[in-house]
Amino acid sequence: MKTRTLATGVAALACSLALTGGLAAHAEAGAIPKYKAPQIFGTTFQADPGHDFTKGLHSRRNGILRGWITAVRGDGSAEYEPIKWKRDKHTEGYFVGPPEGDVTAYASPIAKKVVFLSASGCSGSGVGMTVDRRTGLGNKSCSRSTLIKRAKVGQRASLITVHKGEIVKVQEIFTP
């Protein structure tokens, strides 16, 4: 009986150490904290208190921005701006960015291991939408290169997560 209890204890300790090691490795990899998401179809631009837009384009503070990528630079960084939902009397509405001349924009490197969740699949054909029907957010994981290729083609409404000055997650918002 003692041998069985000892064996069980050793197995439990080994399992515990393996799990702890895994958690430590995960923590070292820079796990992204859970940030509060903005209202997906919010009708005002999100504020970034303390951000000085007169000092050129630089990263937004940590958190999630409802926005779109407006340009991708050769060094793998992206320029992006906040967006808001504008109601329309002839349609459900559409997203708009800041008015012409407004300098509300940011620039951050796109993380090498960015999480890109597409609303239209990785091919982008639009056939077979890949969205969470409850939230309207993309749920198909695609590569960093797909994100960059898609961002170069045009602005796509998304929830953009910035952590430690890098874009670490982009989740597209489905709009009909």
Side-chain angles (χ1 to χ4, degrees), residues 10-24:
V10 169
L13 178 60
C15 184
S16 174
L17 289 173
L19 288 174
T20 306
L23 291 175

Side-chain angles (χ1 to χ4, degrees), residues 14-90:
C15 184
S16 174
L17 289 173
L19 288 174
T20 306
L23 291 175
H26 186 66
E28 286 175 22
I32 304 164
K34 199 105 165 131
Y35 294 115
K36 184 178 182 332
Q39 190 178 24
I40 296 170
F41 293 96
T43 56
T44 59
F45 292 116
Q46 288 172 257
D48 191 9
H51 190 93
D52 188 352
F53 292 100
T54 65
K55 294 187 177 180
L57 292 175
H58 57 282
S59 187
R60 187 177 197 284
R61 64 186 163 87
N62 290 347
I64 302 173
L65 174 73
R66 180 185 54 253
W68 51 36
I69 296 174
T70 56
V72 178
R73 300 176 183 164
D75 64 357
S77 62
E79 294 178 16
Y80 53 102
E81 64 185 18
I83 58 174
K84 68 178 181 177
W85 185 252
K86 184 171 182 172
R87 289 184 170 80
D88 185 44
K89 60 179 161 179
H90 303 291

Side-chain angles (χ1 to χ4, degrees), residues 20-171:
T20 306
L23 291 175
H26 186 66
E28 286 175 22
I32 304 164
K34 199 105 165 131
Y35 294 115
K36 184 178 182 332
Q39 190 178 24
I40 296 170
F41 293 96
T43 56
T44 59
F45 292 116
Q46 288 172 257
D48 191 9
H51 190 93
D52 188 352
F53 292 100
T54 65
K55 294 187 177 180
L57 292 175
H58 57 282
S59 187
R60 187 177 197 284
R61 64 186 163 87
N62 290 347
I64 302 173
L65 174 73
R66 180 185 54 253
W68 51 36
I69 296 174
T70 56
V72 178
R73 300 176 183 164
D75 64 357
S77 62
E79 294 178 16
Y80 53 102
E81 64 185 18
I83 58 174
K84 68 178 181 177
W85 185 252
K86 184 171 182 172
R87 289 184 170 80
D88 185 44
K89 60 179 161 179
H90 303 291
T91 66
E92 290 180 41
Y94 53 93
F95 283 106
V96 296
E100 190 70 35
D102 189 310
V103 295
T104 308
Y106 310 94
S108 300
I110 299 172
K112 296 290 183 207
K113 294 186 177 185
V114 66
V115 174
F116 173 45
L117 300 172
S118 172
S120 58
C122 296
S123 69
S125 65
V127 177
M129 302 310 292
T130 54
V131 297
D132 178 319
R133 294 191 189 284
R134 187 178 45 83
T135 64
L137 295 172
N139 62 8
K140 173 70 175 167
S141 184
C142 301
S143 69
R144 180 180 189 268
S145 61
T146 301
L147 168 63
I148 291 171
K149 194 180 310 175
R150 194 111 12 111
K152 287 180 178 179
V153 172
Q155 300 165 336
R156 302 180 70 87
S158 303
L159 295 183
I160 302 169
T161 304
V162 176
H163 181 66
K164 295 184 179 178
E166 285 188 321
I167 296 173
V168 294
K169 183 177 180 182
V170 176
Q171 189 169 21

